[in-house]
Amino acid sequence: MPELALPKLFRAHATESWLVVVLALICLCLSLTTAQFFTVANLFNLLNTSSVNLIFAVGLLVVLISGGIDISFAVAASVVQYLAALFLIRIGGGGWLIGLVVAGLIGFGLGAINAGLIHYFRIISIVVTIATFNVFFGLLMFFTRGVSIYTLPDWWIRRTVLFEFQQANGTWAELTLPVLIMAICVLASWLLIRHTTTGRQLYAFGDNPEGARRLGINIAAMHFIAYGWLGLMAGIGGLVQVHYAQEVVPNALVGRELDVLAAVVLGGARLGGGRGTVLGCILGVFLVSVTQNGLNLLGVSPYAFKIIIGAIILVAITLSNAPLERMLVGVRQRWQA
């Protein structure tokens, strides 16, 4: 029976190709059903508001590639926000460079805690991160008593505009600093997993841990690099989220982990490890963001978005276990039978 003839490029990037098609169709439908969607202001707003999720997503992508999973990163980002705010206020303010270094180091340390528990105690990652999720959040709420911080250094809350565009109605559309920070994080993650020996080892370890161990790959290093990188991205994302929200709220990011996980898995990262691309991750995040934005513009209940996120996770896991090309070949063979 002849196999389904798919273009070579399409077969190599099947998930990304279909995401582009689906994203384009959703954008077309939304542009026809609401006048606000396809405007420069709304598109810039999508980029601005998606920045934090995309920073989280590229960090989570590295963990998924290594064969692990982490659901504690959003709470870790909340812890980083609070500790970084207290430290920066104490030293008199600092600046973006100091803030990013401090947030990144704290985030890396929290990620290293997960890595240490997973590697040295041989506990599966989902159990460890459920535990640290509750421990981090419990400690944060206990010591802060849920009190927000509103008095922050000027540099942290001052809106920095990278590019602005005046629309026909006189309003201004702006791209802000979080977009630049997001782009740097995405580029750094891409370089890590695609253009370094460490990245190739992460793919190998995620695809076949025992084989990687026999090849001499340092398993401890893989754990600490993967979870440390996610912690680093969580810290930076937490800092950026404060810039966007203009305040530090202890529980502001709790619940964000499911949206990010859905986007990354939808983008082609396999929960079993060994697969995933930065491009797929970007497309997955924007598909989730565009869906949420479209539902808001259409006046649909926000609870509907949670239903969609749950469905996305189920569909993405199904496609992860049954690669898209193989499914298409099966459909073609049934048609020809």
Side-chain angles (χ1 to χ4, degrees), residues 71-263:
I71 62 168
S72 68
F73 62 87
V75 172
S78 298
V79 174
V80 171
Q81 287 181 347
Y82 221 93
L83 293 179
L86 294 177
F87 175 80
L88 292 168
I89 291 170
R90 177 163 297 233
I91 67 172
W96 271 107
L97 180 59
I98 294 176
L100 289 170
V101 170
V102 169
L105 288 175
I106 298 172
F108 185 91
L110 295 176
I113 292 174
N114 284 333
L117 291 171
I118 291 167
H119 179 73
Y120 293 113
F121 292 92
R122 300 294 190 268
I123 308 173
I124 60 175
S125 57
I126 185 65
V127 173
V128 168
T129 56
I130 287 174
T132 53
F133 174 99
N134 286 282
V135 171
F136 292 162
F137 187 62
L139 289 172
L140 178 64
M141 297 305 290
F142 177 79
F143 284 106
T144 66
R145 299 184 185 278
V147 177
S148 301
I149 300 177
Y150 301 101
T151 304
L152 297 168
D154 289 341
W155 62 266
W156 202 352
I157 58 176
R158 185 188 308 119
R159 181 175 294 276
T160 303
V161 178
L162 302 175
F163 177 78
E164 56 185 6
F165 176 83
Q166 188 172 23
Q167 301 181 106
N169 61 6
T171 60
W172 288 88
E174 300 174 340
L175 281 180
T176 56
L177 184 62
V179 176
L180 175 60
I181 297 175
M182 173 267 288
I184 294 172
C185 291
V186 169
L187 177 62
S189 299
W190 177 72
L191 290 174
L192 171 68
I193 64 175
R194 300 302 301 180
H195 293 279
T196 66
T197 301
T198 299
R200 290 188 286 273
Q201 290 176 342
L202 285 168
Y203 275 104
F205 174 60
D207 187 56
N208 187 347
E210 183 58 32
R213 185 178 290 106
R214 291 179 180 178
L215 287 174
I217 293 176
N218 189 324
I219 305 305
M222 294 299 98
H223 281 131
F224 280 96
I225 289 171
Y227 289 92
W229 187 263
L230 176 54
L232 174 66
M233 294 297 106
I236 294 173
L239 200 76
V240 170
Q241 198 272 339
V242 172
H243 174 74
Y244 183 79
Q246 307 283 292
E247 60 184 358
V248 176
V249 181
N251 61 350
L253 291 171
V254 176
R256 188 78 68 95
E257 59 279 341
L258 288 182
D259 296 353
V260 175
L261 177 62

Side-chain angles (χ1 to χ4, degrees), residues 241-302:
Q241 198 272 339
V242 172
H243 174 74
Y244 183 79
Q246 307 283 292
E247 60 184 358
V248 176
V249 181
N251 61 350
L253 291 171
V254 176
R256 188 78 68 95
E257 59 279 341
L258 288 182
D259 296 353
V260 175
L261 177 62
V264 178
V265 176
L266 181 64
R270 187 173 61 189
L271 292 178
R275 196 174 76 193
T277 65
V278 170
L279 176 58
C281 182
I282 293 171
L283 293 172
V285 169
F286 280 115
L287 182 57
V288 171
S289 297
V290 166
T291 301
Q292 185 176 26
N293 178 254
L295 292 175
N296 290 336
L297 292 176
L298 293 172
V300 178
S301 168

Side-chain angles (χ1 to χ4, degrees), residues 45-63:
N45 181 60
L46 272 172
L47 282 172
N48 292 326
T49 56
S50 298
S51 297
V52 174
N53 276 6
L54 195 44
I55 293 171
F56 289 159
V58 291
L60 181 58
L61 173 66
V62 176
V63 169

Side-chain angles (χ1 to χ4, degrees), residues 314-332:
L314 287 174
V315 171
I317 291 174
T318 301
L319 293 178
S320 176
N321 291 329
L324 185 59
E325 181 185 353
R326 194 173 68 206
M327 293 174 65
L328 291 174
V329 170
V331 171
R332 176 65 177 272

